[in-house]
């Protein structure tokens, strides 16, 4: 009996330990954080979306096939969540999904955590914005980053905030730059090797573009790299003190006088990372001011694609898409890694594709930046005839540069010669990210056909004031459409198919292995078309314009699709005649989630 008694407590004790272990395991599962492996493998892990771009390369491609060309007709809403309040305006966020939760940002620097199955709000953080913020192109936010137990996003007053992903409590908060000087931040941060990578916004205010790398867990700076030639880069020691890390380029090599000190070139879109070549790719915005007669030279590194080493913070290579930009053709659009077989040699090429605002689609060798191909993806380009593939430089049309207000014949020093140029400064493609399908070998580009009257004016720099030196009016080129989703073959340079849209396209694209391409329209529709033909297979009215990129994932064996809806952004603010054409569109703020009927 004693033996039995001695064993019985033992069994009870072991059972209790096992139960404790089970509870501990459950607690660990609940608290599971996002790892570097989760981030690098995000493109292939179908149960999550933890990067801006559905993978660090930014291809926005999903291998999921449950929703496909045959079943997409049965796609129905699963739930919808309203951002609420009076704070509408443009909604450009790409949601993140991890461990049963969705993290989605809203206008005016807000972020929400939602139950991914029901849409129930778990927590909300609303950043307190000061008076005097100066976002050029609406009060939007394009999304967050997630790492370990932190969700990190940027704010309109140029701050970076890290929140506990389970509670929404602030863990750290750091300042990117002084908003009173015109700096802001709207992009989604990206995580690379445990660092959070950010750029900045504010090119219209004569700020200095910069890419920063911070310890994602603490927010402390690791390195910073200016994107205007002549400025010193830095690394930061254990105490946070800057240590010189080499000048970007060479002072005054491509900028005259002191113009480089207020040179713009803001990298205001998300960075992407390719572990195959261990490089960060990020695009830079327009040089400041817009009036190019004040700044002769190429004006590096504005309107360019930069490849930066994540370990050193130094520029490894660059390609300038628009040297001496005089049309506000920001080069910030995403540079997406992909591979193709060279038709001449049969060898596999590690390439990157970029649909630039200037109307050309660029293919570069992503290991060294060499230009491999450049061709129009819009119907009309006036500023250049094409690109010389040997030199990598544009063959420009000098007569289509806005005139010099001080040198034009009969000029009064107040306004230079007015020229009409296509595309407009809102670009052949703007902030809306394209997608690439390894299955089809095609890029899916949300393009726009429009032009502008543009002229130059005198301007001088004043801290925190607009720094343009130009005037403009945007005009549509066609009566029946402005936007066009185009399937682009990056090797042949051909447009395989297009789907025209009356209003400008301003939302991103998602491609899937189910032979589908999803995209939104300002008229409020989320649409699905066949990846091979462009045939429209499904659409749903979200109640407001869609200017954000869709995502997809699976949960318990079921495929879901989500998109944020809410009209706004640059078009209604800067669009001129184009804005009048779509002024009937309503604002909104919500996220929609879909699944197949019966799932």
């Amino acid at each position: 009996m004693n033996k039995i008694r001695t064993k019985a407590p033992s069994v009870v004790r072991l059972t209790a330990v096992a139960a404790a272990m089970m509870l501990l395991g459950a607690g660990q599962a609940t608290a599971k954080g996002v790892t570097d492996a989760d981030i690098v493998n995000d493109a292939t892990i179908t149960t999550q979306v933890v990067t801006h771009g559905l993978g660090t390369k930014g291809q926005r491609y999903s291998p999921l096939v449950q929703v496909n060309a045959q079943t997409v007709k049965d796609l129905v809403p699963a739930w919808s969540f309203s951002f609420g309040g009076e704070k509408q305006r443009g909604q450009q966020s790409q949601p993140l999904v991890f461990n049963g939760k969705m993290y989605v940002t809203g206008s005016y620097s807000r972020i929400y955590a939602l139950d991914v199955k029901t849409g129930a709000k778990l927590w909300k953080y609303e950043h307190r914005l000061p008076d005097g913020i100066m976002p050029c192109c609406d009060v939007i936010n394009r999304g967050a980053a997630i790492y370990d137990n932190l969700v990190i996003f940027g704010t309109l007053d140029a701050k970076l905030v890290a929140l506990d992903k389970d509670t929404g409590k602030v863990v750290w908060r750091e300042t990117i730059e002084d908003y009173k000087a015109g700096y802001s931040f709207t992009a989604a941060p990206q995580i690379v090797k445990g660092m959070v990578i950010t750029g900045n916004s504010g090119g219209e205010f004569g700020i200095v573009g910069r890419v920063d790398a911070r310890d994602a867990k603490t927010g402390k700076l690791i390195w910073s790299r200016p994107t205007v030639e002549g400025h010193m880069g830095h690394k930061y020691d254990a105490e946070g003190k800057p240590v010189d890390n080499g000048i970007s380029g060479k002072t005054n090599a491509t900028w005259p006088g002191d113009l480089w000190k207020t040179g713009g070139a803001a990298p205001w879109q998300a960075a992407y990372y390719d572990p195959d070549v261990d490089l960060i790719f990020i695009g830079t915005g327009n040089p400041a001011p817009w009036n190019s007669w004040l700044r002769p030279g190429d004006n590096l590194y504005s309107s360019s694609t930069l490849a930066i080493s994540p370990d050193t913070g130094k520029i490894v290579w660059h390609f300038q898409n628009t040297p001496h930009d005089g049309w506000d053709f920001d080069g910030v659009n995403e540079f997406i890694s992909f591979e193709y077989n060279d038709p001449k040699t049969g060898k596999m090429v590690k390439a990157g594709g970029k649909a630039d605002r200037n109307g050309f689609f660029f293919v570069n060798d992503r290991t060294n930046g060499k230009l491999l191909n450049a061709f129009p993806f819009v119907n009309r380009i006036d500023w250049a005839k094409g690109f010389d593939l040997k030199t990598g430089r544009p063959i420009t049309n000098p007569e289509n540069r806005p005139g010099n207000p001080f040198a034009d014949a009969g000029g009064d020093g107040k306004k230079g010669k007015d020229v009409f140029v296509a595309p407009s400064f809102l670009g052949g493609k703007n902030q809306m990210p394209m997608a690439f399908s390894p299955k089809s070998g095609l890029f899916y580009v949300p393009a726009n056909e429009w032009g502008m009257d543009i002229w130059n004016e005198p301007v001088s720099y004043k801290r925190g004031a607009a720094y343009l030196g130009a005037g403009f009016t945007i005009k549509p080129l066609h009566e029946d459409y402005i936007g066009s989703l185009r399937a682009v073959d990056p090797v042949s340079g051909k447009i395989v198919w297009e789907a025209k849209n009356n209003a400008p396209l301003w939302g991103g694209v998602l491609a899937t292995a189910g032979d589908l391409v999803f995209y939104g329209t300002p008229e409020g529709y989320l649409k699905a078309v066949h990846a091979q033909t462009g045939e429209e297979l499904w659409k749903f009215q979200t109640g407001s314009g869609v200017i954000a990129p869709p995502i997809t994932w699976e949960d318990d064996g079921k495929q879901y699709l989500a998109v944020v809806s809410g009209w706004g952004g640059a078009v209604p603010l800067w669009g001129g005649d184009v804005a009048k054409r779509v002024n009937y569109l309503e604002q909104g703020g919500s996220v929609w989630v879909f699944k197949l009927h019966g799932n």
Side-chain angles (χ1 to χ4, degrees):
M1 291 294 294
N2 290 337
K3 289 182 179 179
I4 294 174
R5 288 193 188 101
T6 57
K7 286 182 181 179
S10 238
V11 171
V12 173
R13 195 178 306 113
L14 286 171
T15 304
V17 170
M21 290 293 289
M22 290 175 65
L23 287 173
L24 178 60
Q28 287 174 338
T30 302
K32 180 190 175 187
V34 174
T35 66
D36 290 292
D38 289 331
I39 290 167
V40 170
N41 296 312
D42 192 37
T44 58
I45 303 175
T46 56
T47 55
Q48 64 177 36
V49 178
V50 297
T51 58
H52 188 77
L54 281 76
T56 62
K57 295 181 180 180
Q59 290 186 348
R60 297 187 177 275
Y61 173 81
S62 171
L64 289 172
V65 296
Q66 188 179 91
V67 179
N68 54 51
Q70 288 71 46
T71 62
V72 69
K73 65 182 185 302
D74 297 323
L75 209 56
V76 295
W79 54 263
S80 179
F81 175 82
S82 171
F83 296 151
E86 298 177 356
K87 294 182 177 180
Q88 304 292 335
R89 304 286 289 271
Q91 310 292 346
Q92 292 182 355
S93 177
Q94 180 217 287
L96 301 176
V97 173
F98 182 74
N99 202 26
K101 296 183 178 68
M102 174 183 286
Y103 303 94
V104 59
T105 60
S107 56
Y108 291 97
S109 304
R110 296 172 290 168
I111 185 168
Y112 304 81
L114 311 175
D115 185 296
V116 80
K117 284 187 169 64
T118 66
K121 183 173 73 173
L122 303 175
W123 56 257
K124 167 188 174 182
Y125 171 82
E126 187 166 358
H127 186 70
R128 181 174 294 179
L129 291 168
D131 294 333
I133 56 171
M134 290 177 276
C136 88
C137 309
D138 207 357
V139 290
I140 59 91
N141 188 284
R142 296 188 177 91
I146 184 169
Y147 186 68
D148 195 44
N149 284 310
L150 301 177
V151 177
I152 306 164
F153 84 118
T155 66
L156 290 166
D157 58 344
K159 286 183 169 53
L160 205 57
V161 182
L163 309 166
D164 184 290
K165 70 178 179 60
D166 296 315
T167 66
K169 301 297 183 183
V170 175
V171 176
W172 58 257
R173 184 189 290 116
E174 296 290 337
T175 297
I176 295 173
E177 259 296 350
D178 184 2
Y179 73 91
K180 294 178 182 177
Y183 288 87
S184 58
F185 187 77
T186 55
Q190 199 77 278
I191 303 296
V192 177
K193 294 184 172 182
M195 301 180 293
V196 56
I197 307 298
T198 58
N200 55 30
S201 303
E204 274 62 56
F205 298 94
I207 59 89
V208 175
R210 196 180 72 234
V211 180
D212 291 337
R214 297 173 183 271
D215 185 310
K217 293 185 179 181
T218 66
K220 300 307 178 184
L221 277 167
I222 296 173
W223 55 256
S224 62
R225 173 52 51 191
T227 57
V228 178
E229 188 175 61
H231 293 267
M232 178 64 73
H234 293 99
K235 285 192 170 184
Y236 293 83
D237 64 19
E239 297 178 352
K241 295 179 180 178
V243 179
D244 287 356
N245 191 31
I247 290 173
S248 297
K250 183 180 179 182
T251 306
N252 289 139
T254 66
W255 287 83
D258 290 337
L259 266 293
W260 58 276
K261 294 181 179 179
T262 52
W268 54 265
Q269 286 271 58
Y272 292 94
Y273 172 66
D274 185 348
D276 296 343
V277 294
D278 195 22
L279 291 173
I280 295 167
F281 299 118
I282 194 165
T284 60
N286 59 282
W290 287 20
N291 185 341
S292 63
W293 298 99
L294 296 174
R295 44 173 176 77
D298 282 354
N299 310 137
L300 291 177
Y301 293 91
S302 67
S303 301
S304 299
T305 300
L306 304 185
I308 300 175
S309 166
D311 298 324
T312 68
K314 292 189 175 183
I315 297 171
V316 175
W317 62 257
H318 77 276
F319 179 82
Q320 193 165 33
N321 302 94
T322 313
H324 196 212
D325 181 5
W327 306 270
D328 188 37
F329 288 151
D330 292 41
V332 295
N333 291 354
E334 64 283 359
F335 182 82
I336 296 179
S337 298
F338 74 106
E339 284 76 41
Y340 72 92
N341 290 321
D342 188 329
K344 296 179 181 178
T345 66
K347 294 181 179 180
M348 189 270 285
V349 179
K350 289 185 177 182
K354 179 177 182 175
D356 199 83
R357 267 170 67 163
N358 67 22
F360 288 97
F361 192 102
F362 296 90
V363 180
N364 296 81
D365 184 322
R366 68 180 189 263
T367 67
N368 57 25
K370 180 184 178 182
L371 182 62
L372 303 174
N373 204 358
F375 55 87
F377 66 93
V378 294
N379 294 333
R380 178 172 174 178
I381 298 176
D382 295 325
W383 73 276
K385 300 179 181 71
F387 270 75
D388 185 325
L389 297 185
K390 292 183 179 179
T391 65
R393 296 188 66 84
I395 306 165
T396 58
N397 292 320
E399 67 277 10
N400 283 327
R401 181 177 294 274
N404 186 340
F406 299 103
D408 286 352
D412 57 4
K414 295 181 180 179
K415 180 179 178 182
K417 179 184 176 183
D418 186 322
V419 297
F420 185 84
V421 181
S424 77
F425 75 83
L426 289 177
K429 190 184 88 65
N430 201 284
Q431 61 82 28
M432 51 281 193
M434 63 184 179
F436 173 76
S437 169
K439 182 177 181 180
S440 69
L442 300 175
F443 281 89
Y444 301 97
V445 182
N448 289 307
E449 299 282 352
W450 42 22
M452 63 179 172
D453 288 310
I454 183 170
W455 59 92
N456 284 159
E457 303 165 344
V459 67
S460 57
Y461 174 76
K462 181 180 179 182
R463 187 177 188 269
Y467 189 42
L468 300 184
F472 51 82
T473 303
I474 295 179
K475 298 178 180 179
L477 298 178
H478 308 284
E479 288 296 324
D480 58 332
Y481 78 102
I482 297 174
S484 177
L485 181 68
R486 289 177 173 149
V488 176
D489 185 328
V491 182
S492 70
K494 293 181 179 179
I495 307 299
V496 178
W497 57 256
E498 68 175 332
K500 295 179 179 178
N501 194 72
N502 177 61
L505 293 182
W506 211 252
V509 184
L510 168 70
T512 76
D515 288 323
L516 294 174
V517 176
F518 291 92
Y519 70 106
T521 74
E523 292 90 343
Y525 288 104
L526 177 63
K527 293 186 176 185
V529 298
H530 198 290
Q532 300 291 347
T533 66
E535 177 190 1
E536 186 175 302
L537 302 175
W538 174 85
K539 66 179 180 180
F540 179 85
Q541 175 58 250
T542 66
S544 185
V546 178
I547 58 171
I551 63 167
T552 190
W553 72 97
E554 66 175 336
D555 191 298
D556 291 336
K558 302 171 186 176
Q559 185 177 350
Y560 292 84
L561 180 82
V563 74
V564 171
S565 171
W567 174 240
V571 175
L573 294 175
W574 294 74
D577 291 349
V578 170
K580 295 176 184 177
R581 186 163 162 174
V582 291
N583 63 6
Y584 66 91
L585 300 172
E586 299 293 341
Q587 292 186 344
S590 58
V591 56
W592 287 86
V593 173
F594 304 87
K595 65 177 181 178
L596 291 176
H597 179 66
N599 262 356

